[in-house]
Amino acid sequence: MEKGLVIKSTGSWYTVESENGEFFECKVKGKLRIKGFKSTNPIAVGDWVNFSLQSVSADEKEKKIGLIASILPRKNYIIRRSINLSKQSHIIAANIDQAVLVVTLNYPVTTSTFIDRYLASAEAYSIPVLLVFNKTDRYNPEQTKELDTLINTYQSIDYQCICTSAKKLTGLDKLQNAIKDKTNVINGHSGVGKSTLINILEPGLNLKTMEISDSHKTGKHTTTYSELFKLNFGGYIIDTPGIKAFGMLEMEPWEISHYFVEIFKTSVNCQYNNCSHTHEPNCAVKVAVENGEIAPSRFISYLGLLEPMINTVLPIKIPIPMIQ
Ligand SMILES: Nc1nc2c(ncn2[C@@H]2O[C@H](COP(=O)(O)OP(=O)(O)O)[C@@H](O)[C@H]2O)c(=O)[nH]1
Ligand SMILES: [Mg+2]
Ligand SMILES: [Zn+2]
């Protein structure tokens, strides 16, 4: 039995890279079942599988194909829930080491709310995030200050931040080091520079970029298959559908606060252990926002996610102007 990594899936065939770097076309042997999981695809890119090789003759030539016998346990995965009623989900990718969110303050605008939703989703999936602030060449002094504040906010809660300019070619070594030897998904609004950055780091890798999210707007369910692209300097980049695919999991209101790391940490000091940090007395989170230990923008993002679930009103006066 061989062990390998699924790097491409077309539905019934999988391209598997064996541990010594050979590629095999593989099929699933019999029926694979994953306990407690209803999914349209049992195997996804990023899965490690055990497979055996079988010789088949094709066009009078001997060829080896693989038969996948089992999947190794996943450390995480991202899914897209189906829109129809089957309740089946589609696994986009498994075993992701890092989610890279490319952000620009402007051109186009990325709001802190958008960043925070992304971070919360990634926390829910247990995927570390790298924040890449691109197009620094375009910022005037005032915007640069704004950027510094934003970076301070995220670094203070332990998210790795890198500033880049694909135009001036700055920060690219840092970016390369940060994604090297990892399996990365890359996201961010259209136009922030994802393709440009990737093409500089890995010339020739023309990612069929991620604008597939548009199909979600129309409600159409396009079956898309992801692919792991190998980086020559080590690691992989996953060509994934957009941010929508990385959306929030179904969760209870109290769960949301678990995915805002600093809110979760602070909440151990709230009077009620199921405190929603809105109307409750003796709420340590509200105190921390008021005295500047928690960034107001983060608290506002948290309330924004809570709001569709319960009717929240801004529970406190926000002392500092926030970045939008
Ligand atoms: N000034 C400037 N422009 C950039 C930078 N990075 C990308 N761009 C430009 O932004 C536009 C969108 O980039 P693209 O890579 O297609 O964005 P994507 O949609 O995220 O893949 C292109 O015109 C790029 O040339 C940068 O760091 N500085
Ligand atoms: Mg692109
Ligand atoms: Zn509280």
Side-chain angles (χ1 to χ4, degrees):
M1 208 58 105
E2 303 230 13
K3 202 174 123 187
L5 176 67
V6 177
I7 59 160
K8 192 177 170 181
S9 143
T10 58
S12 50
W13 285 93
Y14 302 91
T15 308
V16 175
E17 183 182 353
S18 72
E19 282 184 302
N20 51 23
E22 281 184 276
F23 295 90
F24 297 102
E25 294 305 308
C26 295
K27 281 204 301 193
V28 174
K29 188 177 168 187
K31 243 195 155 116
L32 274 182
R33 268 178 226 282
I34 303 174
K35 258 205 293 195
F37 205 87
K38 261 186 159 185
S39 133
T40 49
N41 58 332
I43 301 178
V45 297
D47 266 325
W48 283 93
V49 293
N50 289 316
F51 66 102
S52 57
L53 288 172
Q54 196 178 57
S55 288
V56 290
S57 44
D59 307 328
E60 286 160 31
K61 269 191 287 189
E62 281 283 287
K63 203 182 116 186
K64 278 200 169 135
I65 64 158
L67 293 174
I68 296 172
S70 58
I71 309 176
L72 278 72
R74 293 177 175 135
K75 75 169 181 185
N76 61 31
Y77 54 84
I78 50 177
I79 56 171
R80 180 172 56 228
R81 265 177 290 133
S82 71
I83 303 161
N84 61 33
L85 291 172
S86 71
K87 289 265 166 71
Q88 288 210 325
S89 42
H90 186 81
I91 308 165
I92 295 162
N95 300 319
I96 295 152
D97 295 318
Q98 181 165 259
V100 181
L101 182 64
V102 183
V103 168
T104 49
L105 281 190
N106 37 26
Y107 328 112
V109 170
T110 308
T111 63
S112 48
T113 305
F114 179 85
I115 300 173
D116 294 333
R117 280 174 188 248
Y118 187 90
L119 293 175
S121 307
E123 291 293 337
Y125 284 110
S126 311
I127 301 172
V129 178
L130 167 67
L131 293 172
V132 177
F133 297 90
N134 191 35
K135 304 201 187 184
T136 52
D137 59 282
R138 294 198 66 167
Y139 300 150
N140 62 32
E142 198 187 317
Q143 291 166 332
T144 304
K145 248 173 89 185
E146 209 180 303
L147 180 69
D148 285 345
T149 309
L150 201 61
I151 289 176
N152 265 330
T153 297
Y154 293 113
Q155 278 179 339
S156 73
I157 50 173
D158 293 333
Y159 288 106
Q160 192 186 355
C161 298
I162 291 177
C163 287
T164 57
S165 163
K167 190 175 176 190
K168 292 264 170 74
L169 302 178
T170 54
L172 296 167
D173 300 351
K174 277 192 190 146
L175 178 58
Q176 175 169 332
N177 269 327
I179 66 174
K180 188 176 179 301
D181 299 330
K182 290 179 178 152
T183 299
N184 302 275
V185 292
I186 182 162
N187 293 110
H189 287 317
S190 177
V192 294
K194 299 180 293 293
S195 306
T196 311
L197 288 168
I198 295 302
N199 288 334
I200 295 170
L201 294 183
E202 185 79 20
L205 181 72
N206 280 309
L207 285 190
K208 302 173 263 135
T209 40
M210 306 83 192
E211 275 52 284
I212 304 161
S213 54
D214 286 346
S215 65
H216 289 264
K217 282 187 202 135
T218 61
K220 255 188 287 174
H221 186 74
T222 41
T223 310
T224 44
Y225 294 100
S226 314
E227 188 168 349
L228 282 190
F229 292 103
K230 208 171 174 135
L231 299 166
N232 279 317
F233 53 86
Y236 299 87
I237 277 224
I238 303 184
D239 183 12
T240 62
I243 179 78
K244 293 274 159 55
F246 200 59
M248 296 300 285
L249 300 167
E250 274 174 59
M251 57 179 95
E252 301 293 324
W254 58 264
E255 268 183 288
I256 292 175
S257 65
H258 291 202
Y259 304 128
F260 283 73
V261 285
E262 76 282 42
I263 292 180
F264 185 57
K265 247 191 229 160
T266 307
S267 70
V268 297
N269 295 320
C270 293
Q271 184 179 335
Y272 299 102
N273 59 21
N274 61 350
C275 185
S276 71
H277 324 303
T278 53
H279 59 276
E280 296 89 346
N282 299 323
C283 168
V285 171
K286 282 188 279 184
V287 171
V289 177
E290 276 165 339
N291 65 26
E293 284 157 27
I294 289 177
S297 63
R298 293 275 298 164
F299 189 54
I300 288 169
S301 297
Y302 162 73
L303 295 175
L305 279 174
L306 210 58
E307 200 247 355
M309 301 190 189
I310 53 175
N311 249 338
T312 45
V313 277
L314 212 56
I316 53 165
K317 270 210 191 110
I318 299 293
I320 324 164
M322 53 162 174
I323 298 156
Q324 264 303 338

